[in-house]
Amino acid sequence: MLGKGVVGGGGGTKAPKPSFVSYVRPEEIHTNEKEVTEKEVTLHLLPGEQLLCEASTVLKYVQEDSCQHGVYGRLVCTDFKIAFLGDDESALDNDETQFKNKVVGENDITLHCVDQIYGVFDEKKKTLFGQLKKYPEKLIIHCKDLRVFQFCLRYTKEEEVKRIVSGIIHHTQAPKLLKRLFLFSYATAAQNNTVTDPKNHTVMFDTLKDWCWELERTKGNMKYKAVSVNEGYKVCERLPAHFVVPTPLPEENVQRFQGHGIPIWCWSCHNGSALLKMSALPKEQDDGILQIQKSFLDGVYKTIHRPPYEIVKTEDLSSNFLSLQEIQTAYSKFKQLFLIDNSTEFWDTDIKWFSLLESSSWLDIIRRCLKKAIEITECMEAQNMNVLLLEENASDLCCLISSLVQLMMDPHCRTRIGFQSLIQKEWVMGGHCFLDRCNHLRQNDKEEVPVFLLFLDCVWQLVHQHPPAFEFTETYLTVLSDSLYIPIFSTFFFNSPHQKDTNMGREGQDTQSKPLNLLTVWDWSVQFEPKAQTLLKNPLYVEKPKLDKGQRKGMRFKHQRQLSLPLTQSKSSPKRGFFREETDHLIKNLLGKRISKLINSSDELQDNFREFYDSWHSKPTDYHGLLLPHIEGPEIKVWAQRYLRWIPEAQILGGGQVATMSKLLEMMEEVQSLQEKIDERHHSQQAPQAEAPCLLRNSARLSSLFPFALLQRHSSKPVLPTSGWKALGDEDDLAKREDEFVDLGDV
């Protein structure tokens, strides 16, 4: 029977096996086609968006009670997204749509978010690509945000099947030109309607003033200077127009090797030490050119290594740390744990969940990144050393590690504006190749490496372990990761500031055309209503109290946490001749050659790290000071909200952190209300925190994966495995064997 467009299979009181698929007979569909058509949802197009192809009489499967049920509707493909238009959206409660994304709907997949496309032929699943000779009866789409969509095409007209399948394959997999991205169509169509959020105070670092402000904020202006030598990108297309270098460094040195071999300033610590990064010089075989490079690097090195006043430690991330290939391989294995097609597959993999998780090495890579950031923090905080990060182009692992160090050492970066400014400075202006690393153009799969997603996962570990230290929530991090694939924001769709400015018309020859004005992802009002945005802000975050003048004089510029740090002595002045030896090590690093040792021996480095790490964790945490994560085995966890949110079986209805948060927010609301009554300010404006409890309390289906679980319509009845397990008896027998099941909620 067909009711409200929902198609169900299987009748009677006994539930069918999960492997059984029930379809509605074609005559039943055609009988009710007129009724369903009247209820079809209208396709909403963004400015500049065009419909490319569509198919009707498509069933979108949803998982429920081990049976496969489908929602009848249309499957469409535009130059922005793949969308399914059914009539089930009207059935959602108002509370369940409070966190609805205004740009990408529940049944929308942006073309950039498509990961793999599969077709089912005679119950066999095959990868789809290129021109097809035979078209599938079932279409499965795996998304980069780990959603899985399944569409039955059995009752769709043959011509429509060919058109929609071919269209989806072509527009998601065929190589594209940059100017063909929907980003430009949207910017052109919405140029006169683009309104920026006046409350967005994110520092974009696209002006010299922004860099000077950051230098002054971190007290780095005593030793470093902001330069505009690359204005117009006449020196290097990889670097931003403005950046910061050591004050003694002549500006002509920047131009000599097109920005390579130059220490670029990232951040300054309260004690005067600084974090810098440098890209390697091009490899040369000619001895004469090598000698010139060595002489050049020797002069550059003296600007940051002036013992005994300043000592620098080099960290070669290209040869002594992770490789991009390791990251890509690990994530490819890791994501397969969450791309679940059906309940049976979920329970089959659940049996060996932890072994599969460990074999992916993704959590170990997160641990290594956090450990490296702590080691650098120890050098800067406890040993008062400058740290120079080295990488071939200084645009991947340098961005990752430098951002983590600043997040641990600078409480400003743990505010929402500070965090967004950090990403603008280190990733967007730092030249991270988002276009290539996200493979937005589909031109080279080998270049696709989830470096930025790895960074967000590392940040989530810190947020999960120290919630009061961050102004933003894990939901904020999750929607930020989703925004990587929404091509109406310029933030994550260019390889460099030069590429963006050139293609936006700012550096073009045509002075008559008006430069395009693109949105940034930091304007959250584009995606979410104000009520939904309250879930991006942490209500438990407490701002740092302002100190009076007397307190400022006593504390000077030290962190409050500094007094609890281990009193590790700084390195003694190098012996005569050591400076030349260390310079040679640096030069070898920059020329791409492996070295046998760094400044410190590995044993000595490990001892300093362990002392620093243990001492910090033995003291009470100051959430506005230095912040270190736990990196022991069980402390590094799976980011459940992002990776498990689309799997109904992984949810804990009414449980998880959201249950605790709901109670805490209710208490905060009561305390705030009482405080207002005491202060006799009944008509004062309500604080933003008070909105969140209402949203939580009124939601129909709170779960451990809130708020994304609200978008899932499924039964809470657990699905039992049918393969890989012995036959289960009655409920008593199941209760006796409950220890055999793995609880994903504790992962």
Side-chain angles (χ1 to χ4, degrees), residues 544-553 555-556 558 560:
K544 187 176 182 178
K546 295 182 179 180
L547 304 176
D548 56 34
K549 295 182 179 180
Q551 287 176 305
R552 286 199 190 99
K553 289 181 180 180
M555 293 188 65
R556 294 190 178 183
K558 292 183 179 181
Q560 297 178 26

Side-chain angles (χ1 to χ4, degrees), residues 200-214:
N200 179 21
H201 302 297
T202 302
V203 182
M204 305 304 289
F205 290 98
D206 53 358
T207 66
L208 187 66
K209 182 180 178 181
D210 290 345
W211 288 99
C212 292
W213 177 86
E214 181 72 355

Side-chain angles (χ1 to χ4, degrees), residues 12 18 35 117 127 130 165 180 225 265 312 345 359 410 415 445 520 522 567 573 586 603:
E35 175 189 347
I117 302 175
T127 306
V165 173
R180 292 284 185 174
K225 62 182 179 182
W265 176 87
V312 69
E345 183 180 343
S359 64
D410 190 346
T415 65
D445 292 344
T520 71
W522 314 126
L567 299 177
S573 300
L586 174 66
D603 292 339

Side-chain angles (χ1 to χ4, degrees), residues 136-159:
E137 60 190 34
K138 185 177 179 180
L139 190 67
I140 302 176
I141 301 177
H142 285 185
C143 304
K144 292 183 179 180
D145 62 3
L146 304 180
R147 288 181 296 169
V148 175
F149 287 86
Q150 301 185 59
F151 302 103
C152 174
L153 307 174
R154 180 171 294 183
Y155 311 125
T156 309
K157 294 178 181 178
E158 184 177 354
E159 286 302 316

